[in-house]
Amino acid sequence: MCSDRPAGFRAETRAARSADEKPFLSVVMPVHEGTAWIEATLDSLVAEPNGNLEIIIVDSSPTSTTAAIVERFAHRLPLRLLQRRNLAPWQAKTNLGVKLAAADHVCILHQDDLWLPGRVEAVRRWLAGSPEAGLHLAPTAIIDRFGRRIGRWNCPLPAGKLLGAQFLLERLLVQNFVSVPAPIFRRTAWLACGGMDEKLWYTPDWDIWVKLSSTAPVIYHDEITTAFRVHGSSLTVTGSRDVNEFRSQMQIVMERYLPRLPASSRRWVEPAARASISVNVLLAAASGGDLMALVRAARVVLSLGPIGMRRYLRDSRLRERVTCRLRAKLTGAF
């Protein structure tokens, strides 16, 4: 491997397929200064059958340290490494990776997340069993900085059923409940809807799941095959420290897609969505030391009334989100 090769560059690897063999899945990895995590991430890929995969790593690190770690896997994984030091935003790197992907179906894997045993077998089964689905969703394990399981990230969806755009939108607008490493999506659908909005730094994944859900049916598989790592240096944590910008990022997505709902649905979705944004902002303030923000968050939830509270708690996954982060902090693993 070498840095900044042309877009068509492909590393020759032990697992490389013939030039005429199309991969069944492309894995896009947007990477930036990934030395703390990327070895464990690539190890989790090595543990899976990878002969018919394509792994595209787009690295914007200012040095070659991360690339040097990636190169150690060149003979164990079907890798393509592109170093683009001027392409810092993860959403821009992801868009480039999807554009270059050779497979019909794509997934995203961040440098600090993992695949779990059985991921490849499960994805093959999902695609074969529901070929009409344009977006395959699934729960994911939540792990701490040491890789220990501390929770489960679920989607508030019925498993095994083809779901329509309105059903997804009514729930997604309350909270982004999709963990980035879990979904499988059609490459053509991603490209047709314009890919990730590169102006959004915190909510581009939320935005793209909404867009993809409008292109074809969605299906939820109740099977954990990935792990999402929570730690103090993640974008989720560092980005939420700017409260006003944090709120703005969520409001953009909510206001962009609320008009797509019929009035009958919007009447109950909008209060829950606005409450969810307020609670997320208050939880970020509490994480920064303002413990009274927890009291204000509780008041926001109570203001929804019994029926509104039940819907909000179902779609927001509030309990599991808060519990896993508290567990990580209490054990010193955040």
Side-chain angles (χ1 to χ4, degrees):
M1 274 188 209
C2 55
S3 65
D4 214 359
R5 293 284 188 172
F9 170 68
R10 183 185 304 276
E12 293 300 328
T13 71
R14 179 181 62 81
R17 58 191 176 274
S18 69
D20 295 331
E21 186 181 356
K22 186 175 183 177
F24 96 97
L25 181 67
S26 294
V27 185
V28 173
M29 295 184 62
V31 170
H32 185 81
E33 295 187 329
T35 55
W37 315 108
I38 198 166
E39 185 170 5
T41 301
L42 293 176
D43 274 334
S44 74
L45 293 172
V46 169
E48 287 292 287
N50 54 62
N52 200 23
L53 297 179
E54 173 187 53
I55 302 166
I56 302 172
I57 298 178
V58 186
D59 178 20
S60 61
S61 303
T63 70
S64 60
T65 308
T66 298
I69 297 173
V70 173
E71 287 171 358
R72 298 208 298 266
F73 289 82
H75 298 289
R76 292 189 284 168
L77 290 170
L79 294 172
R80 297 174 66 183
L81 172 63
L82 301 171
Q83 289 188 278
R84 296 291 187 267
R85 291 173 180 169
N86 63 337
L87 203 65
W90 77 269
Q91 60 271 38
K93 294 193 288 283
T94 302
N95 281 336
L96 174 60
V98 176
K99 182 179 179 180
L100 297 176
D104 292 334
H105 289 89
V106 182
C107 65
I108 304 166
L109 185 63
H110 284 171
Q111 64 195 32
D112 47 359
D113 298 332
L114 302 175
W115 276 12
L116 299 179
R119 168 70 166 173
V120 168
E121 178 187 353
V123 171
R124 286 187 182 277
R125 191 180 345 107
W126 298 350
L127 297 180
S130 303
E132 63 272 61
L135 178 62
H136 296 257
L137 302 179
T140 191
I142 303 173
I143 59 174
D144 65 19
R145 64 181 299 110
F146 302 116
R148 299 177 300 206
R149 286 204 191 196
I150 56 174
R152 172 183 167 120
W153 181 334
N154 297 300
C155 299
L157 303 172
K161 298 180 180 179
L162 291 175
L163 307 171
Q166 182 177 326
F167 187 93
L168 263 293
L169 189 58
E170 288 174 350
R171 288 152 179 78
L172 266 176
L173 283 182
V174 175
Q175 177 72 38
N176 178 19
F177 49 71
V178 181
S179 173
V180 169
I184 308 294
F185 54 86
R186 288 183 189 158
R187 175 179 176 272
T188 53
W190 178 287
L191 298 177
C193 68
M196 280 190 168
D197 184 343
E198 297 182 11
K199 295 178 183 178
L200 297 175
W201 59 264
Y202 181 74
T203 53
D205 54 327
W206 190 10
D207 182 75
I208 193 66
W209 308 138
V210 175
K211 290 193 288 189
L212 288 173
S213 69
S214 69
T215 65
V218 177
I219 190 164
Y220 179 59
H221 308 275
D222 191 15
E223 187 172 2
I224 294 179
T225 63
T226 57
F228 176 86
R229 192 187 304 269
V230 295
H231 55 91
S233 57
S234 68
L235 180 62
T236 305
V237 174
T238 58
S240 63
R241 290 170 185 158
D242 185 336
V243 172
N244 290 331
E245 181 63 17
F246 184 48
R247 179 185 292 275
S248 174
Q249 287 282 301
M250 292 181 283
Q251 285 179 330
I252 288 171
V253 176
M254 180 194 68
E255 292 169 1
R256 181 175 289 175
Y257 298 110
L258 263 176
R260 294 190 181 183
L261 289 176
S264 57
S265 295
R266 182 170 177 170
R267 199 162 38 243
W268 63 266
V269 171
E270 184 169 2
R274 294 192 182 280
S276 183
I277 291 174
S278 294
V279 170
N280 289 340
V281 171
L282 289 167
L283 290 177
S287 180
D290 180 8
L291 296 184
M292 286 303 297
L294 295 175
V295 176
R296 297 196 295 275
R299 289 173 180 164
V300 170
V301 176
L302 290 170
S303 72
L304 293 171
I307 295 175
M309 283 175 56
R310 283 198 297 271
R311 285 171 171 162
Y312 165 74
L313 293 174
R314 177 197 68 189
D315 296 339
S316 70
R317 311 171 358 269
L318 180 65
R319 181 184 60 81
E320 63 194 73
R321 287 161 50 211
V322 171
T323 301
C324 71
R325 282 171 169 79
L326 283 175
R327 188 176 295 134
K329 284 190 175 185
L330 289 173
T331 60
F334 189 66

